[in-house]
Amino acid sequence: LNAVPGRAPRQRVRFLPAPAPGGGGAVELVAARVPVLADHPLVRGPRFRKLKIGAGHRLDVKASGVFVLGIGHGNKLLTDLYNCHLTKVYTVGGLFGKATDDFSDTGNLVEKTTFDHITREKLERILAVIQGTNQKALLMYSNIDMKTQEAYELAVKGLIRPMGKSPPVITAVRCLQFALPEFQLEIHCLHETQQHLRKMVHEIGLELKSSAVCTQVRRIRDGVFTVDDALPRTQWNLQSIQEAIRNCQLKVETELEKTLG
Amino acid sequence: QDGGGLREAMVGVARRLLLRRGLGVAAGPPNTRQLREAEEAAPVFQYAGKAARRKDRVFVWGFSYSGALGVPSFVRPDAGWKKPRRIQPTPYRLETEEKISSAACGYGFTLLASRTRDITKVWGMGLNKDSQLGFQRSRRDQTKGYEYVLEPSPIPLPLEKPQQTRVLQVSCGRAHSLVLTDSEGVFTMGNNSYGQCGRKVVEDEIYSGSHLIHQLKEFDSRVVQVVCGQDHSLFRTKKGTVYACGWGADGQTGLGHYNITSVPTKLHGDIAGVNIIQVSSYGDCCLAVSDEGDVFGWGNSEYLQLASVTETTQVNVPRHLPFKIGKIKEAACGGTGNVVLTEEGNVFVWGYGILGKGPNLIETAMPEMIPPSLFGWSDFSPDIRVAHVRCGLSQFAALTNRGELFVWGKNLRGCLGTGRMEDQYFPWRVTVPGEVVDVACGVDHMVSMVRSFT
């Protein structure tokens, strides 16, 4: 960033003494446009000494995926995006047959169970019920009075969401792949933590009269930012970052306008 | 140094000997190989085998002091720490001996029926002041019967072939009940002051503690559905004809007059010659659905239930309701509101009361559709459809094809099962631990038949 040529130094008019054309030691003031010394790079120093980078929603050590960072003014936009309470989408991979103490496959083993009685149909039934109870939670934590006409209208459009602090709520779940003992789910959620998603996998295992551990948690969408917008490790350089910010600017603005007005 | 080295070697040998005999324990944290070996050696538990079947359960909720929920400890606590529970606000599991195939909720009492060939096929609980649950012999006084039955108690039916006949369906009204069997007609019991049991009205008859269960067999073909209104009964036969008996002051018998009828009589009017596939009633209004998807109505119309065809408040002859909402699959009648389900899976409501479209819609004469997004339909799950609709006196229930139960209406004494005591102005999910197969709605309680998930 500091290597990028900066602004040209400011110019100002100074009346500098110059020898008079007549000669003999007389000094005349001549107007001259000179660069301001205070703008000289050796005086000013490097333009950027530190950058304010803020992080968006947390992603813990064992998870992977889209992680939103804000630079400079982006920090203020991050706060606004947080107040929009948009949903995040995760792909969660699970494995039947084991139960561990921290619900992931690297934890200490608690129990091993059989899983040959599990079918995709049973799993989808459980997912339907999880979606149902969380739908109720969505309406309850949104703190809208259920007896009003506007609550009814928002519920019809599906726009009721908790707009403040709330426990984790799952808006949609579906099973992407199912090959015993592994399975993969796509989860749309709000105000969640990755450990809560791992716990959910564990509870799905219990509900199916077996046990399950979570092998992978990957965030594929965080509000308006998807995996396509995200930069992999090899592209963490200035040009790609600037381009990515430019591409997402419009999306972020429209979303903020729509939700916060 | 040599001595020290020798001792170390000896200690090393001793330790290795100890380890080999299994008496020593390796010090330090277990390494990866040891963890993997421990994991592989761990025992595998089996909680459900491949042949595990889904279980059928019954859940009840609502007002419990009448005994209609069938849980005696709610009314008479059997342990010191238990308190009487007047209202059960969320679904509560009821243990039954057999798989219950049909349930019906009356005004303060419930009937459960099973398709078994055993002697006991029907159980009843709740109010029994008019012997609507048959005669339940009291243990304290062998000559008298119980007025309140707190537990599901068998109802003795006078069957000719008790080990062959199956009970197909039960239905309950205000103070009478009907039991439909597959080969022995319909059995009726309870209050008969308006002839709703299908037998001649006896003046000053005492219904409490009565042993009388009447059998009805004279219909033009086999009866396939029985429905109880508040004080009248409707019978639908295999040929598609409808019979009625009971109180008719609102025209709910549909026989062309406003008197009581004590013998089941065939209905004519707009349904003459029409093959009716479903009848429904709970208060004083009745609806019938034909195989072509038309809906017919008769009875009370004080709440605009039939205002689409007439201005009068009572209709005593079945009239076709000309709604242009599509082919109708199922209809359900409540006390003041009606609901129908079309072939596409849309739900339409009309009438008076909390209809399910927010607090602003209190009454309407023409059917209004409830948006499918309220039943869980969305872009993410576009194949959700409503499969059945049911009506209680002032509440509605809808079952989706995914086995979810949605309720809305007046929350009288917690009958909606949502866990809250407020009225519900739009469809709300009831959390039931299982897939809901069927639900029966009463005045202040509900019963549902549920299959467990796994």
Side-chain angles (χ1 to χ4, degrees):
Chain A
L1 268 178
N2 287 327
V4 169
R7 267 202 312 242
R10 287 172 290 174
Q11 308 275 356
R12 70 170 171 182
V13 176
R14 277 196 77 185
F15 295 96
L16 293 172
V27 166
E28 207 181 50
L29 284 178
V30 171
R33 195 178 279 269
V34 291
V36 173
L37 274 179
D39 280 349
H40 197 273
L42 289 173
V43 172
R44 218 177 36 194
R47 199 159 152 227
F48 290 100
R49 277 207 288 207
K50 49 186 180 185
L51 283 173
K52 279 205 175 126
I53 299 189
H57 294 108
R58 276 190 211 142
L59 201 60
D60 66 7
V61 176
K62 283 184 268 193
S64 61
V66 175
F67 186 43
V68 181
L69 297 156
I71 302 179
H73 175 61
N75 290 310
K76 296 204 182 76
L77 292 176
L78 268 183
T79 327
D80 293 332
L81 277 177
Y82 176 79
N83 291 332
C84 279
H85 300 282
L86 301 164
T87 58
K88 301 184 231 1
V89 182
Y90 288 80
T91 41
V92 174
L95 190 73
F96 285 119
K98 249 171 61 161
T100 54
D101 57 355
D102 67 348
F103 312 133
S104 76
D105 53 348
T106 53
N108 295 323
L109 180 72
V110 167
E111 194 181 62
K112 279 193 342 187
T113 55
T114 59
F115 48 83
D116 48 0
H117 62 279
I118 300 177
T119 61
R120 189 170 182 147
E121 200 195 274
K122 288 186 189 171
L123 180 66
E124 304 217 317
R125 233 177 276 144
I126 305 278
L127 295 180
V129 139
I130 289 177
Q131 215 167 324
T133 42
N134 278 280
Q135 200 81 359
K136 259 177 73 165
L138 203 66
L139 296 178
M140 282 199 322
Y141 289 123
S142 62
N143 286 334
I144 300 186
D145 187 7
M146 291 298 146
K147 295 198 183 163
T148 53
Q149 183 68 17
E150 56 165 307
Y152 163 73
E153 261 142 43
L154 286 175
V156 170
K157 287 190 229 154
L159 288 181
I160 294 194
R161 276 206 309 269
M163 292 304 273
K165 266 191 175 312
S166 86
V169 174
I170 295 180
T171 53
V173 201
R174 98 178 136 182
C175 178
L176 295 175
Q177 285 171 30
F178 183 83
L180 281 179
E182 290 168 0
F183 64 100
Q184 202 181 54
L185 305 172
E186 182 186 310
I187 305 182
H188 297 232
C189 40
L190 274 175
H191 306 157
E192 81 304 341
T193 56
Q194 285 80 41
Q195 190 62 12
H196 176 260
L197 295 174
R198 290 189 195 99
K199 188 170 171 194
M200 209 178 87
V201 170
H202 169 84
E203 281 170 1
I204 290 175
L206 290 181
E207 200 55 58
L208 287 165
K209 298 209 176 91
S210 174
S211 50
V213 290
C214 177
T215 47
Q216 182 210 41
V217 176
R218 182 169 179 249
R219 184 149 70 197
I220 56 178
R221 194 191 153 98
D222 185 344
V224 285
F225 304 99
T226 61
V227 177
D228 304 320
D229 304 323
L231 297 170
R233 184 80 179 79
T234 50
Q235 284 181 19
W236 288 1
N237 51 38
L238 182 62
Q239 280 76 25
S240 330
I241 294 178
Q242 280 178 330
E243 206 184 295
I245 293 177
R246 258 191 298 263
N247 291 342
C248 292
Q249 224 167 6
L250 187 61
K251 273 200 290 189
V252 170
E253 266 173 30
T254 42
E255 187 59 49
L256 285 176
E257 278 256 2
K258 203 169 68 164
T259 316
L260 296 177
Chain B
Q1 288 96 343
D2 278 341
L6 188 60
R7 192 188 309 144
E8 267 177 5
M10 282 179 60
V11 166
V13 165
R15 194 184 290 137
R16 276 200 295 278
L17 280 174
L18 282 172
L19 278 174
R20 221 171 283 155
R21 278 191 217 154
L23 295 172
V25 181
N31 54 23
T32 327
R33 191 171 68 97
Q34 279 165 336
L35 275 175
R36 200 163 27 97
E37 282 172 359
E39 200 176 297
E40 271 157 35
V44 178
F45 291 88
Q46 184 183 56
Y47 291 107
K50 264 190 137 20
R53 293 277 161 264
R54 294 169 71 182
K55 294 174 203 46
D56 299 286
R57 303 201 165 115
V58 175
F59 282 84
V60 293
W61 61 91
F63 184 63
S64 69
Y65 276 0
S66 57
L69 298 191
V71 186
S73 58
F74 284 172
V75 187
R76 293 269 163 97
D78 48 7
W81 54 268
K82 283 191 194 169
K83 287 205 174 59
R85 210 184 288 196
R86 181 171 163 260
I87 289 175
Q88 174 57 36
T90 48
Y92 185 90
R93 187 161 141 211
L94 186 69
E95 300 268 355
T96 52
E97 288 134 21
E98 300 266 355
K99 176 188 170 208
I100 302 295
S101 60
S102 165
C105 291
Y107 288 43
F109 65 104
T110 318
L111 278 185
L112 303 172
S114 162
R115 287 181 67 103
T116 173
R117 283 221 164 108
D118 293 350
I119 310 270
T120 319
K121 302 169 206 288
V122 188
W123 294 262
M125 56 249 204
L127 212 54
N128 198 23
K129 288 198 170 176
D130 286 298
S131 299
Q132 52 262 60
L133 306 175
F135 183 72
Q136 304 287 336
R137 197 178 297 277
S138 165
R139 256 176 285 179
R140 252 184 289 185
D141 183 349
Q142 301 281 343
T143 55
K144 296 212 179 59
Y146 281 127
E147 281 197 338
Y148 290 90
V149 178
L150 298 181
E151 228 182 5
S153 308
I155 296 178
L157 295 170
L159 294 164
E160 272 175 18
K161 304 199 175 84
Q163 281 169 326
Q164 284 181 24
T165 321
R166 285 192 207 268
V167 167
L168 298 177
Q169 194 217 329
V170 282
S171 183
C172 302
R174 181 187 60 88
H176 72 297
S177 27
L178 303 177
V179 176
L180 172 66
T181 59
D182 57 354
S183 52
E184 295 197 34
V186 181
F187 290 90
T188 66
M189 44 205 175
N191 190 304
N192 194 39
S193 16
Y194 306 110
Q196 60 264 50
C197 285
R199 57 187 169 90
K200 197 150 142 356
V201 180
V202 174
E203 252 196 55
D204 297 330
E205 181 178 350
I206 300 175
Y207 299 107
S208 159
S210 157
H211 285 82
L212 185 54
I213 298 183
H214 188 67
Q215 190 178 13
L216 292 167
K217 278 194 194 177
E218 287 88 37
F219 298 96
D220 63 359
S221 52
R222 197 162 66 82
V223 178
V224 287
Q225 191 193 355
V226 286
V227 166
C228 285
Q230 193 163 354
D231 280 308
H232 69 291
S233 315
L234 298 170
F235 310 84
R236 174 174 72 87
T237 64
K238 207 158 148 96
K239 282 200 186 152
T241 55
V242 180
Y243 287 72
C245 64
W247 203 38
D250 274 331
Q252 57 264 57
T253 45
L255 296 168
H257 55 77
Y258 294 110
N259 311 323
I260 63 176
T261 319
S262 47
V263 169
T265 320
K266 196 155 149 175
L267 267 69
H268 297 283
D270 285 359
I271 62 173
V274 178
N275 184 12
I276 301 290
I277 56 164
Q278 198 234 337
V279 198
S280 168
S281 175
Y282 200 66
D284 289 326
C285 179
C286 313
L287 285 181
V289 177
S290 72
D291 56 350
E292 317 230 308
D294 297 315
V295 67
F296 301 82
W298 63 97
N300 189 3
S301 179
E302 285 166 19
Y303 302 101
L304 309 178
Q305 293 110 316
L306 306 172
S308 50
V309 281
T310 173
E311 292 271 317
T312 58
T313 49
Q314 276 91 14
V315 176
N316 60 5
V317 167
R319 297 285 304 272
H320 173 239
L321 303 176
F323 297 142
K324 303 266 180 306
I325 53 181
K327 210 166 145 188
I328 292 172
K329 204 164 69 160
E330 204 176 50
C333 259
T336 58
N338 297 341
V339 61
V340 288
L341 175 68
T342 59
E343 289 276 329
E344 298 109 56
N346 292 324
V347 175
F348 288 82
V349 288
W350 77 98
Y352 174 84
I354 300 179
L355 296 175
K357 291 193 71 162
N360 287 1
L361 187 70
I362 298 287
E363 59 176 8
T364 166
M366 295 305 287
E368 303 248 344
M369 186 168 98
I370 295 190
S373 56
L374 287 174
F375 295 112
W377 182 92
S378 67
D379 301 321
F380 206 70
S381 19
D383 53 349
I384 289 200
R385 296 260 178 289
V386 175
H388 298 284
V389 281
R390 303 270 181 265
C391 236
L393 199 64
S394 46
Q395 66 272 35
F396 301 84
L399 292 173
T400 63
N401 53 1
R402 291 256 195 104
E404 291 185 308
L405 173 63
F406 287 83
V407 292
W408 67 97
K410 263 200 99 52
N411 196 3
L412 193 57
R413 299 188 274 271
C415 62
L416 289 184
T418 54
R420 293 157 46 208
M421 300 305 289
E422 291 123 31
D423 301 334
Q424 186 56 37
Y425 289 92
F426 56 91
W428 185 266
R429 251 182 203 83
V430 176
T431 315
V432 180
E435 198 183 302
V436 184
V437 172
D438 201 2
V439 70
C441 306
V443 172
D444 55 9
H445 71 292
M446 279 201 211
V447 169
S448 62
M449 268 113 26
V450 170
R451 288 186 80 192
S452 69
F453 290 124
T454 44

